[in-house]
Structures are given as C-alpha cells and as structure tokens.
Amino acid sequence: MLRHLKLLMLLLLSLLFLLVVGVYVGLNLSLPKLSGEVSTNQISAKTQIGRDRLGTAVIHAENRQDAAFALGFAHGQDRFFQMDLLRRNSAGELAELFGKPAVKLDESRRFHQLRKRAEQIYRHLPTAQQQLLQRYADGVNKALAEQSLPSFEYLLTRAERQPWRPADSLLVIYTMYLDLQGNTLKRDLTLEQIERRFGPQMRAFITQASNYQAALDNSLFPSDPPEIPKLNLSSNLSLTLSLSHSDTLARRLAVSIEEPREVGSNNWAVTGQMTRTGSAMLSDDMHLSFAVPIIWYRAQLNYPDAKGEAVQVTGVSLPGAPAIVVGSNGKLAWGFTNAYIDTADWVALSDDEPLTIEHETIKLPKGEQDYPLTLSRFGPVRQLDGQAYALSWVAHRDYAVNMELMALEQMSSAAEAMAKASGFGIPVQNLMLADDKGHAAWQLAGAVPARKQVSDIALSGEQLEWGKWQQREAGLPSRQDPPGGRLWSANARVMSTQDAQRYGDGGYALGARSAQIRDRLLEQELFDESDFYRIQLDNQARFYRPWHAYLLAALMKEPKRFAKDIVQLRDWQECACAESVGFTLVKAFRTQLLDSTFAPIETELAKSQLSLSVLKRYLEPAIWQLLKQQPTDWLPQELTGWDALVIASYVKARDELLKKYSDDGELSELNWGKVNTLAIQHPFSRQIPLLSRWLDMPKVAGFGDTFMPAVQRPSFGASQRFIVQPGYEERAIMAIPGGQSGHPLSKYYRAGFGEYARGAPTPLLPGEIEARLTLVPEQMPH
C-alpha cells in the first residue's frame, strides 16, 4: 500500500513538473522576436525598431506611414491583450472573453453603440488618416502573425485573437471618453434626482462654490454659502416618512459613499523667463487607474517630414493608436489634463416622444445574449423612476474622434499648436504647451459642442439646442505667456468665470490641488527639472489642516479616552507621508463624517442605482457649513447634538482601520504607507490571487493623496511623470509605474517600476540600444 502511494505521489509530482515545464516553454514560445529581420510587403523602405534597457521602442523610418506600421508592430508584440481589452471595453465586447460576469458592463457600453460610431467615422476620415490607421493595423497584425504562440491571456481564456482593424484605434479613443467623461453623465442624472427628491435648494447647497479656486485669471465665483435646506422636508411624501422613521445613527454609520476617481491630471508650465536656458518648461502627470501593464508605452519616432527635415518625437503612446500622446519634438512639448467641462445633456422625454428599439447582440464564449436598446432622436434612452431620459453626449457626435492630435509631432511653436487644438478629436482637455523659444500656453483642446445652454439637470426637448449639438465649437479659451510667466491646471476650473458659465461644469475637481500647485510655482522665480519634480512629489497636507485642527479639538474634549489618538494626531507631520499615522486618522475621519452626514441622501439615491460618489468632491463647503451652523434636522433621530455624530464618525473610521490593518489594535500600525500601499495588479491576478506573485508589480509603501500634487491611491495615481524643456531633452524626465512589455517573462515587464516607486527621475530619452529588429520590404514582383 505504501509502495503504491509513493508511486502515485511520484506520478503526480512528475505530472506537475511536466505541466510547469510546459507552461514555461509555452510562455517562452510566446515571447516576441526583438532582434533580427522580418520581411513584409506593407512598408516602403527598411525600418528599424530598437529597444533600450527600459524597452522603449525607438523607431527609425523613411516616412510617417512606415513609422505607424513599426509602432503598430511594437504595440502588437508587447501589448496586444491590453489593446484588445481597450477596444472591447468601449465596444461592449468583453463578455466574449470573460463570459456572463461581463454582460452588465457590456450592456452599459452598448448603450452608446461606439463600435458602429467608430466604423462610420473611420469611413469619413481624411484619406491620409485612413491610410495611417490602416498601416498601423497592418503592423499590429504582422506582429501577431510572427508570434509562435499567442500570449498567456489567450491561452487561459481559450479565446481567439481577432485581427486589429483601423476603426479599432478609434474605439481606443472612445475608451478614454468613457474613463474621462463617464462621471459627467452620472453627475447630471444624480443632480436631476436630487432636485426631484429633495428640491432645488438641496442641489444648490451641494454644488455651492468652494473657497478652493485657482483660475489662471484669478477670477472667483462668489463663495457665500446658500441657506441650508431642511433635510426632513420634501415634495416626496414617502421620502419624508422614511427619513423620520428609520434615520438612526447605526444606519448612518453603515452607509459608505464610494470615493470618486479623480480621473484627470496635473500639468503646469513656465515661460523661458523663468528658466536658465530660455526655453519654456512643461510638467505633466496624468492620473489614471493602475493595472499591469500600465496604460502608456514609451516610444521615440524618427522620420523625415514632407520637406525632408528630420522629425524626432519622444514620449508616451497609447497602445492601440499610432500617436505620441504626450511628449516633445525638440521644439514643442505638450501634455494634458482632463478639462471637466460640461459635454453632455440629459433630455426628459415627453410621453408622446417617438422611440425605437434596436437589438444589440452580445457574444459569449458559448452562445449570445440580446440587449434591446431604446433610441430617440436625441440619443439612447434610459428609464429612471418612471421618466424616460435621452442622452446627448459629445462622444456620440461625428466630430468626437479623429487623428488630428498627431499634427503636434511636427509643430514648432505653442501658437501653431493652439491654432489647431480645437479640431482635435479627443475628450476635451487642458492642453499645456511649452516651446524652445520660451513660450508657454494653455489651450482648451478637443471635441466641444457648439450649444450655448449648459445645464446640471435634465432639459426638455424644446430647451435642448439640438441643431447646435451637431456642430463643434470652433474657438476655445486659451492663454499664452501670462504676465507672471506661470500656467497650471489640475482638473479644477482653469478658465475665467465668464467662460466657465458658457462651458459649464462637468465634474470639476475641488481645486485644492490646483491651488497648491499655483502656490508652489509662486514660491520661486527660476526653475529647473528638479524643481518641477519636487512639485510633482509634493505631499504636504495643506487641504487637511482645518480637518486636523477640528478633529484634535473634538478629541481633546475627552483627553483620557483618546489619549493615544491625540499623540498620533499631534505628530501627523502635516503630510501624506508613508510613516504618518495622524494623516491616516484625519483622512479617514473626514471621509466617514461625510458619509454619515449625507447618508440619507445617499440612501435615497441608491434606490435608483445612483450615488453621491460623483458629487463627493463638491461636499467640502457644505459639510463645513453644517459643522458651523449645526442644524438639528440633519442629525440622526436619537442624537441632539453634532458632537456625538463627530465622535461616532471618528470612532467608526478608526475602528474599521484597526480591524483591517492591525492584529493587536495598535494605532501605530495605521501608518499611511501601509494603509495606502501602492499595489498595481494584472487583471488576471485580481481573479486568481495565486498568480499575483508572477503578474503584479511589487507592493510599495504609499504616499500622497487626492488633494495635493502627489496623487496616489493603492491602484490609482500618476500614470507617468513627465518634465521637459524643448531643446534640452537630455535633461528631461519620464517616469512610469510599470514596464513596457505585457509578457511576464520579458526583461521589460517590470523595467522602470523601481525607479518610479523610489521617486527617481527616469530619463525621457532612450538609452543605449540593446535589441534591434529590422523590418525589410519584400521584393515586389515585376
């Protein structure tokens, strides 16, 4: 019996060994070829793809179309699965890979019919753009054809790789629309419901102007607070009854309003008067969700322009598109932050509005599922509490996407770029520019509808300027070479109050981050790259100063009960530093107090699958007004004073942290670096934790927060850190929290992550080439 057991164990171990060897061999066979030659009839001249120690794709081509082919080839080698997810995400085709769990997400995407829109727009692009997207797609598909085995993601999902099509690159841009403007759509619907259920006073109270305003012209919206609305009064009788009979402290403390993603960025620039070189200088760090691989791909393109003059553009590309999204060409540098202006309107449809139904087919690994979509003349329709709402969104317009952004590669001045920016087919952005002649500029750039009436709540069909929605706005606000020599944007309002009233609010950031960047820029008169990098990493907790003082004062009323808490708060260091426990406590207290105070509104919105999450950044002035005036009708029914709600919120926040992060209940274990650990995961390891060791980036003690220049959460933050003076690229910085390759056995899988995690200034320019692949045109038959 023992002998048979030993034989069985030996057999199992042998099978396990063979499985491991098979997996390893299979993974190695799926590694791309990075050196040697590849023949193709889809390029006109010999083209090279070099790679340095970081895996940067350094492309030398004889024309821009061959460069597009080579970039597509490199993207296809290193990032095809990521590209596939990006196009499937916007098209609503993820269930074909992941099955029924992805159907709900696919339905939310099919609501916008973006694949149909992308294919239609591609057919009407200028011929040169169509050809460029076709050459890029040819490069991607050639890379797939050269692989011996598909990447491990396709082996695990047992899915077939679908060829890349030119219109798929437009779907990748649409994914950015969904990421950058998705909350704008939810925001307006949420405000519509708040007004319907709680009245216009509540909407005005929640969206009141903040003291944190940092527009470039220093203009201010009045921040005089409106009257606090009565929480227990509503035109909705059922709401009045539910608030009066079930609004207890326990229910309040149980409500959690999800933290909004500050999808956006920081960027700023100074003119040449404020640098030693005379060149303007630009900083740009785009804030996005983190995953493995990271969204950006390092690249340098070298090719002659139409006049035969050499073009060299270095920066980051977005796998799936043939453009350098952020970078420098030696004369002009550019970067973006999300503009958050109003680019969508919901239309409250009348009962007699004609509607049609279209059926979208969602494919599954086995079978398919029907999704009926209701459409109106204004756009797709959603039912909410018995009312039909149609969505008019800029992403639905035929001017939403194009490849005009690529023109930046060959521009030589900020003024030239500003003149073209209104025509870019991208989600509207704050474009920051710096050129080698010392000019710095901010320009609103991207797709903006020409309609003049903007609204935070739904309009009627008669109110909507439907004809103007079909036209894009031609001239957008801008500012060049301001008297102070400084420009900044960080997702809050940048433009004047007059322009802001014209373009509306699509979900601006609070403004604390913008104000801190502005103040840092005003602290000195001369800058270099290290000065800008220091601002990018600035984690001083200026925004939290009043919260720290308020919490400390509240706990000091019970000094014995909170003796240990008080010690940590006094030693908080006024920063979101890795070692600070006090910062952790202050931040958690503020979050919980917001959740507890606004829980009745959140609970009511949840009945319609809506949330205050998309408005949470607006609640700062409202919560301070409540704490100052302390209206009793905003308290849970068993409390008579606000002190009890404040203490209960703090204790709940602290105890939740201790439960999650401390085995022995010690506050000293709640340091911010532990609570905010940077953990960048591969999509597969989220579902299969055993794969984490091989697929994820190493975990790193975190620092920074939403309301300061150094933005970081566990899986969110600066997706790149870029600083450059055009003409002095050898001094420029480009740090990225992940490697180039999506293949876990590639030497480039984690290359560069360690430098990012340490805050080291990784160079922008490629280093010595260590692998070189030559694309050779096949001999054409005579």
Side-chain angles (χ1 to χ4, degrees):
M1 183 69 181
L2 183 61
R3 181 183 176 189
H4 289 301
L5 186 60
K6 287 183 177 179
L7 286 173
L8 181 61
M9 289 295 295
L10 182 62
L11 179 62
L12 289 174
L13 288 172
S14 298
L15 290 174
L16 180 62
F17 174 76
L18 290 174
L19 177 63
V20 170
V21 170
V23 170
Y24 183 80
V25 170
L27 286 174
N28 269 284
L29 287 174
S30 65
L31 278 167
K33 176 182 178 180
L34 303 183
S35 298
E37 287 190 357
V38 171
S39 296
T40 175
N41 62 6
Q42 294 165 316
I43 57 174
S44 61
K46 185 182 293 187
T47 302
Q48 289 189 339
I49 307 173
R51 286 178 170 86
D52 68 352
R53 69 173 182 88
L54 295 173
T56 307
V58 182
I59 293 169
H60 289 267
E62 292 303 315
N63 55 69
R64 186 58 179 89
Q65 294 216 355
D66 287 355
F69 180 93
L71 186 59
F73 191 93
H75 284 167
Q77 285 187 308
D78 291 332
R79 298 289 191 89
F80 183 75
F81 184 70
Q82 176 196 10
M83 297 162 57
D84 196 8
L85 292 185
L86 289 174
R87 67 174 170 178
R88 287 177 179 274
N89 174 60
S90 58
E93 298 169 356
L94 288 169
E96 190 173 4
L97 284 181
F98 302 115
K100 288 191 174 181
V103 167
K104 285 296 181 185
L105 178 60
D106 276 359
E107 288 179 347
S108 72
R109 302 319 197 205
R110 292 296 180 98
F111 183 78
H112 304 290
Q113 297 184 301
L114 296 178
R115 178 170 285 285
K116 291 181 181 178
R117 299 183 195 282
E119 291 172 351
Q120 179 180 348
I121 288 174
Y122 173 73
R123 290 193 293 269
H124 293 91
L125 286 177
T127 302
Q129 292 186 28
Q130 289 182 338
Q131 291 174 342
L132 203 68
L133 291 176
Q134 182 64 62
R135 290 288 78 75
Y136 175 82
D138 291 341
V140 174
N141 294 325
K142 180 64 175 176
L144 299 185
E146 290 292 313
Q147 283 188 299
S148 301
L149 281 177
S151 61
F152 78 95
E153 295 97 340
Y154 293 99
L155 297 176
L156 285 177
T157 59
R158 293 180 294 176
E160 291 289 329
R161 297 178 303 182
Q162 300 299 319
W164 194 262
R165 295 185 287 180
D168 291 344
S169 292
L170 303 184
L171 282 171
V172 169
I173 301 175
Y174 274 131
T175 283
M176 299 309 294
Y177 267 100
L178 291 166
D179 280 351
L180 298 175
Q181 295 185 6
N183 275 350
T184 298
L185 314 185
K186 298 175 186 176
R187 172 187 180 274
D188 285 6
L189 265 189
T190 303
L191 288 172
E192 166 77 5
Q193 290 305 303
I194 287 172
E195 177 145 326
R196 280 175 169 257
R197 295 164 185 254
F198 294 89
Q201 276 188 308
M202 184 65 78
R203 178 169 71 91
F205 177 64
I206 285 175
T207 58
Q208 63 180 285
S210 163
N211 289 326
Y212 295 101
Q213 300 183 49
L216 293 178
D217 68 344
N218 297 314
S219 61
L220 297 173
F221 277 115
S223 55
D224 299 330
E227 183 179 349
I228 297 175
K230 296 291 185 182
L231 188 59
N232 60 357
L233 293 179
S234 173
S235 58
N236 186 328
L237 181 60
S238 64
L239 172 60
T240 305
L241 293 174
S242 68
L243 288 179
S244 61
H245 290 287
S246 62
D247 184 32
T248 65
L249 178 61
R251 288 177 179 269
R252 292 276 195 105
L253 294 176
V255 172
S256 176
I257 304 172
E258 184 181 352
E259 290 296 306
R261 290 188 310 145
E262 288 277 357
V263 179
S265 312
N266 300 327
N267 63 16
W268 60 87
V270 296
T271 62
Q273 296 174 335
M274 308 191 77
T275 68
R276 293 180 179 85
T277 65
S279 174
M281 185 160 60
L282 168 76
S283 172
D284 185 82
D285 54 290
M286 297 181 284
H287 306 152
L288 295 167
S289 295
F290 288 161
V292 176
I294 209 69
I295 190 168
W296 305 116
Y297 185 90
R298 298 174 183 270
Q300 182 186 81
L301 307 183
N302 297 270
Y303 62 92
D305 64 15
K307 299 178 181 177
E309 297 180 4
V311 174
Q312 181 182 88
V313 56
T314 312
V316 292
S317 58
L318 176 61
I324 299 298
V325 177
V326 166
S328 178
N329 63 18
K331 297 178 181 178
L332 176 70
W334 60 94
F336 297 99
T337 72
N338 198 30
Y340 279 114
I341 66 169
D342 188 357
T343 54
D345 284 326
W346 288 95
V347 183
L349 300 177
S350 58
D351 293 338
D352 59 354
E353 180 69 34
L355 303 175
T356 59
I357 304 291
E358 286 192 14
H359 292 271
E360 294 277 326
T361 300
I362 297 176
K363 293 183 179 179
L364 299 166
K366 293 182 179 179
E368 57 188 34
Q369 189 163 318
D370 179 64
Y371 171 58
L373 175 62
T374 304
L375 297 174
S376 73
R377 57 186 169 133
F378 303 116
V381 177
R382 174 178 176 178
Q383 292 284 338
L384 192 59
D385 295 339
Q387 172 66 55
Y389 295 95
L391 175 63
S392 181
W393 182 27
V394 71
H396 297 165
R397 307 277 72 82
D398 57 9
Y399 53 79
V401 293
N402 60 41
M403 302 309 298
E404 295 292 335
L405 171 71
M406 295 177 61
L408 288 170
E409 293 178 9
Q410 297 183 27
M411 292 182 180
S412 59
S413 71
E416 186 180 2
M418 293 168 72
K420 297 290 186 180
S422 295
F424 293 171
I426 58 173
V428 61
Q429 300 286 295
N430 296 304
L431 170 62
M432 199 68 72
L433 300 159
D435 67 31
D436 62 343
K437 298 175 180 62
H439 301 296
W442 161 79
Q443 170 73 59
L444 204 62
V448 178
R451 63 85 158 86
K452 297 292 190 292
Q453 179 174 346
V454 294
S455 177
D456 284 343
I457 58 175
L459 301 169
S460 67
E462 291 72 26
Q463 291 173 313
L464 188 75
E465 299 174 89
W466 184 235
K468 293 292 186 181
W469 263 103
Q470 312 313 310
Q471 306 166 30
R472 80 178 293 156
E473 184 81 338
L476 297 174
S478 64
R479 191 173 179 88
Q480 180 176 340
D481 298 337
R486 302 166 178 86
L487 294 163
W488 58 87
S489 81
N491 310 124
R493 176 175 63 89
V494 179
M495 63 187 71
S496 68
T497 53
Q498 182 178 357
D499 284 337
Q501 289 172 332
R502 154 66 185 90
Y503 293 100
D505 182 352
Y508 281 135
L510 179 63
R513 190 159 33 96
S514 298
Q516 191 159 330
I517 291 169
R518 174 201 62 196
D519 294 346
R520 290 300 191 195
L521 291 174
L522 292 171
E523 288 175 356
Q524 60 192 89
E525 297 297 322
L526 202 61
F527 296 89
D528 61 20
E529 289 82 359
S530 64
D531 296 317
F532 272 24
Y533 204 51
R534 200 158 42 245
I535 299 175
Q536 285 192 358
L537 300 177
D538 177 17
N539 65 349
Q540 186 180 21
R542 295 185 177 188
F543 169 78
Y544 289 96
R545 286 171 179 166
W547 284 106
H548 172 264
Y550 188 90
L551 176 58
L552 190 58
L555 300 188
M556 286 295 291
K557 294 175 183 178
E558 300 182 61
K560 289 185 178 181
R561 179 185 177 188
F562 296 111
K564 292 182 179 179
D565 309 68
I566 291 168
V567 169
Q568 295 293 350
L569 287 169
R570 284 176 169 167
D571 190 36
W572 80 308
Q573 303 173 64
E574 200 184 287
C575 65
C577 305
E579 64 275 13
S580 177
V581 174
F583 178 82
T584 303
L585 297 176
V586 172
K587 178 177 174 60
F589 162 67
R590 175 186 178 272
T591 299
Q592 183 59 56
L593 186 60
L594 284 171
D595 292 354
S596 303
T597 304
F598 291 93
I601 301 174
E602 177 70 6
T603 301
E604 189 66 18
L605 289 171
K607 296 174 183 177
S608 302
Q609 289 77 53
L610 295 172
S611 172
L612 273 174
S613 174
V614 293
L615 300 168
K616 200 169 185 179
R617 67 191 71 173
Y618 291 85
L619 300 181
E620 183 70 9
I623 186 64
W624 281 112
Q625 189 178 353
L626 289 167
L627 290 173
K628 181 179 179 181
Q629 298 185 25
Q630 301 193 351
T632 56
D633 59 284
W634 276 74
L635 291 173
Q637 61 185 14
E638 73 269 38
L639 298 185
T640 58
W642 276 79
D643 287 353
L645 180 61
V646 167
I647 293 298
S649 296
Y650 171 72
V651 171
K652 169 74 182 317
R654 181 200 62 189
D655 291 353
E656 286 291 323
L657 287 168
L658 289 170
K659 181 179 178 181
K660 186 173 182 179
Y661 297 103
S662 175
D663 294 330
D664 52 11
E666 289 295 325
L667 288 176
S668 58
E669 295 189 53
L670 302 183
N671 62 81
W672 184 237
K674 181 179 181 180
V675 173
N676 195 40
T677 296
L678 180 61
I680 306 179
Q681 295 181 277
H682 190 282
F684 280 19
S685 75
R686 296 176 188 272
Q687 307 301 321
I688 312 172
L690 286 175
L691 297 177
S692 180
R693 177 181 175 185
W694 293 277
L695 297 183
D696 296 346
M697 294 296 118
K699 292 185 178 180
V700 178
F703 77 106
D705 179 59
T706 301
F707 299 111
M708 55 193 63
V711 170
Q712 193 214 299
R713 294 185 194 169
S715 60
F716 182 86
S719 59
Q720 42 69 253
R721 296 182 180 130
F722 174 48
I723 301 168
V724 65
Q725 297 184 63
Y728 297 87
E729 279 72 17
E730 70 280 0
R731 297 158 48 166
I733 296 168
M734 180 65 83
I736 297 177
Q740 281 282 92
S741 174
H743 197 299
L745 293 186
S746 170
K747 65 185 293 185
Y748 305 126
Y749 187 71
R750 293 185 174 88
F753 173 78
E755 293 164 71
Y756 177 94
R758 296 192 306 272
T762 313
L764 166 70
L765 290 182
E768 182 179 351
I769 299 300
E770 58 181 38
R772 183 175 281 106
L773 183 70
T774 303
L775 306 176
V776 181
E778 293 178 357
Q779 293 294 323
M780 301 297 291
H782 295 287

